[in-house]
Amino acid sequence: MENITLLVDAKIKPEDLSTVFKQSGLKRPYEDLPRLEKMIENADILITAWEEDRIVGVARAITDFSYCCYLSDLAVDQEYQHRGIGRELVRMVQERIGDHVSLLLLASPIAMEYYPHIGFDKISNGYMIPRKN
């Protein structure tokens, strides 16, 4: 993670989030800036990774800080993957929520093999009602 700075609750613009989503290869609404603005504003935890003034990673989570935390986004620019940035972003989320809070996520199909590698257990007892758009 040489030359990478991690920031907690940094003020970022929708364009910053759009950039990292687009460069990560994950399917996110990176062209919908008003929606991204709401995603930033309503996150309980926002941790970003930077190389100088270039955003290269983000972890965004919703939590009650008591029982559960949903890691809604973990994205790292493809050019910066395999450097431990994602692992460190997750570690920092865990540090913020503490050991008494479960960390949950829905994995992107392209990241299914990644999460067990950084300490997540696969679960099969989940359900969802998908968003309509």
Side-chain angles (χ1 to χ4, degrees):
M1 285 207 9
E2 191 173 318
N3 300 322
I4 301 298
T5 302
L6 298 173
L7 301 175
V8 176
D9 296 330
K11 299 294 181 201
I12 66 170
K13 298 179 235 163
E15 293 83 3
D16 296 326
L17 191 57
S18 175
T19 296
V20 76
F21 282 164
K22 188 186 305 184
Q23 298 302 325
S24 73
L26 296 178
K27 184 179 178 185
R28 293 293 188 273
Y30 61 82
E31 70 291 336
D32 188 345
L33 297 180
R35 190 175 199 175
L36 296 182
E37 179 73 30
K38 288 181 184 179
M39 291 166 68
I40 293 166
E41 289 174 1
N42 293 303
D44 295 308
I45 298 172
L46 183 69
I47 302 173
T48 50
W50 300 81
E51 183 177 60
E52 297 180 12
D53 61 348
R54 178 180 179 182
I55 189 167
V56 299
V58 64
R60 193 179 67 84
I62 310 299
T63 184
D64 58 16
F65 293 99
S66 178
Y67 187 73
C68 65
C69 176
Y70 174 60
L71 183 59
S72 51
D73 296 304
L74 180 64
V76 175
D77 184 317
Q78 290 179 25
E79 185 179 325
Y80 291 81
Q81 292 177 5
H82 308 291
R83 297 187 191 184
I85 296 169
R87 179 187 299 269
E88 187 63 13
L89 288 167
V90 169
R91 187 197 66 74
M92 290 183 71
V93 169
Q94 288 180 288
E95 187 177 274
R96 303 267 302 165
I97 62 175
D99 292 337
H100 58 284
V101 178
S102 296
L103 184 57
L104 308 165
L105 63 83
L106 293 174
S108 164
I110 66 172
M112 290 297 290
E113 300 300 317
Y114 174 71
Y115 291 107
H117 177 73
I118 63 167
F120 281 84
D121 295 327
K122 188 173 182 180
I123 61 172
S124 61
N125 61 338
Y127 297 90
M128 70 179 272
I129 298 172
R131 65 187 158 269
K132 297 198 187 309
N133 60 14

